Amino acid sequence: MKLKNFLLVVLGVAGSYTSIAQSNLLNAKTPAEIGKKTAAQLESDNDKPLPYGYVHDRDVLMGKTTWETIDLDERINFPMYYPVDTANIGKERRSLFQVLLNGIKSGKITEVYGDDYFNTKKSLKDMENTFKFRDTTQPGIDEFNTDIAGYKSGKKVLDKQFITETELDAADVSGYKIKGFWYFDKRQSELKYRLLAICPMATEARDKAKGNTDAIELFWIYFPSVRDILHEAKAFNDRNSAMPITFDQLLNSRRFNGVIYKEENVYGDRTIQDYMKDNAQSQLLESERVKDKIRDFEQDMWSY
């Protein structure tokens, strides 16, 4: 009986995801109706991210904050990167960066910071040059110099042909940095992970216009504050397009490959690169050592 109930629950959850992915697809009479849920679907829909359970500080037997890099060149991380060209694809498919960028521009995402400790908050105005950079070409500068007084007074306006605009897009993102907290919950006797922040790595629009390709930290977003937005956006599932996974599920279930580059430590949270210099292999081995140290704690709890 219990097995039967369990199977019914699983089928119900799977059915709800299918309805989310294929809302009105097979019943739509026009393309405009695709994705629009019926009144019955809206009434029965409970499409929200799974809430985090409350964890009391006394229940955390062990905790460790780690920072990881996610390389978008790795195949397992492709769902975060693609699609980069949205001109010939449906509106429901966007890359993770595009979802975050649209949320910031629309004002839905406000918990944006300049560092991973959430000390300095960033506004959209502070990041204008991060997303878009306007510059004057050399012929435009020459044109401006012919009548400086006229242009400064506003009597003359420089023609648009002398202005270049460079925009940051999803194709420029090379990876992400994430900050998370590993902890052992003594009530459930289980090692768990809670994602705290995410940061896209890319070249700023200003640097992109000048030909610089060095990726930097664009901004840090406090992850729990954007779960609803990431739950609405779907990542592509190449095994079954009828059941896409949301970006919230993808990140919380750790369906990606990340490499630890820093852990909290007594040395001011120095990075692995600071004490394993000029040796990529040693840095990677040190990253695995940190990972094993955290996992071994759970194993040691069950040693008799």
Side-chain angles (χ1 to χ4, degrees):
M1 188 66 180
K2 291 182 178 179
L3 179 60
K4 182 179 179 181
N5 292 337
F6 174 74
L7 291 175
L8 288 174
V9 171
V10 172
L11 290 173
V13 172
S16 66
Y17 282 124
T18 304
S19 64
I20 292 169
Q22 303 282 12
S23 296
N24 211 31
L25 176 64
L26 302 180
N27 302 314
K29 295 180 180 179
T30 63
E33 294 180 2
I34 298 177
K36 291 184 179 180
K37 297 182 181 180
T38 63
Q41 285 177 318
L42 292 172
E43 186 177 350
S44 62
D45 195 6
N46 188 24
D47 187 20
K48 295 181 180 179
L50 186 67
Y52 291 142
Y54 177 76
V55 182
H56 198 285
D57 291 342
R58 291 178 298 182
D59 296 332
V60 179
L61 186 62
M62 183 278 294
K64 174 70 73 173
T65 302
T66 60
W67 289 258
E68 298 172 75
T69 57
I70 301 174
D71 188 356
L72 295 183
D73 283 336
E74 296 185 35
R75 185 176 296 276
I76 192 175
N77 300 328
F78 280 178
M80 296 186 189
Y81 181 69
Y82 290 102
V84 293
D85 184 7
T86 59
N88 300 311
I89 202 166
K91 295 181 180 180
E92 72 281 356
R93 288 186 58 188
R94 292 293 182 267
S95 66
L96 176 58
F97 177 73
Q98 198 65 52
V99 172
L100 296 175
L101 183 60
N102 292 342
I104 293 174
K105 289 183 176 180
S106 65
K108 293 181 179 180
I109 297 178
T110 57
E111 296 301 312
V112 184
Y113 298 84
D115 62 284
D116 50 344
Y117 294 98
F118 317 117
N119 293 320
T120 308
K121 204 164 185 178
K122 277 190 170 184
S123 64
L124 182 60
K125 188 175 181 180
D126 297 331
M127 298 183 290
E128 284 180 344
N129 288 338
T130 299
F131 303 140
K132 182 183 288 188
F133 178 68
R134 300 184 65 189
D135 198 8
T136 307
T137 62
Q138 187 58 47
I141 295 174
D142 296 337
E143 173 65 23
F144 180 82
N145 291 332
T146 59
D147 189 2
I148 297 177
Y151 283 109
K152 284 188 174 181
S153 64
K155 294 180 180 179
K156 295 182 68 176
V157 179
L158 200 62
D159 194 272
K160 291 183 179 180
Q161 65 176 328
F162 299 122
I163 304 296
T164 59
E165 282 193 358
T166 304
E167 285 195 56
L168 189 68
D169 53 36
D172 299 315
V173 180
S174 61
Y176 289 90
K177 286 186 177 182
I178 59 172
K179 177 183 179 181
F181 186 71
W182 289 96
Y183 65 97
F184 187 85
D185 190 333
K186 67 180 182 181
R187 278 184 175 270
Q188 300 185 17
S189 299
E190 185 179 359
L191 183 68
K192 295 184 178 181
Y193 178 78
R194 183 70 60 85
L195 186 58
L196 299 178
I198 185 168
C199 167
M201 299 287 294
T203 305
E204 284 189 324
R206 179 192 293 269
D207 293 332
K208 179 182 175 182
K210 297 179 180 179
N212 184 7
T213 58
D214 294 335
I216 62 170
E217 298 177 4
L218 297 182
F219 49 82
W220 284 87
I221 295 178
Y222 186 62
F223 183 78
S225 68
V226 297
R227 291 194 63 207
D228 288 331
I229 296 171
L230 294 181
H231 186 75
E232 295 174 0
K234 307 295 189 294
F236 184 72
N237 184 353
D238 59 350
R239 295 188 177 182
N240 185 359
S241 60
M243 296 182 65
I245 182 173
T246 70
F247 282 116
D248 176 68
Q249 294 167 332
L250 184 145
L251 290 167
N252 275 309
S253 60
R254 292 188 62 86
R255 292 179 61 169
F256 58 83
N257 182 50
V259 178
I260 296 176
Y261 71 92
K262 182 170 70 169
E263 65 168 332
E264 57 179 348
N265 51 64
V266 70
Y267 305 102
D269 294 349
R270 67 178 180 178
T271 64
I272 292 176
Q273 190 176 6
D274 290 338
Y275 61 93
M276 291 285 183
K277 299 181 182 294
D278 303 326
N279 194 324
Q281 183 178 10
S282 296
Q283 292 171 10
L284 188 60
L285 292 173
E286 177 67 7
S287 174
E288 290 298 316
R289 185 194 69 80
V290 174
K291 189 184 300 182
D292 290 338
K293 180 176 64 175
I294 296 171
R295 289 187 300 195
D296 288 345
F297 184 89
E298 182 183 29
Q299 297 297 322
D300 293 342
M301 295 300 296
W302 296 100
S303 299
Y304 296 96

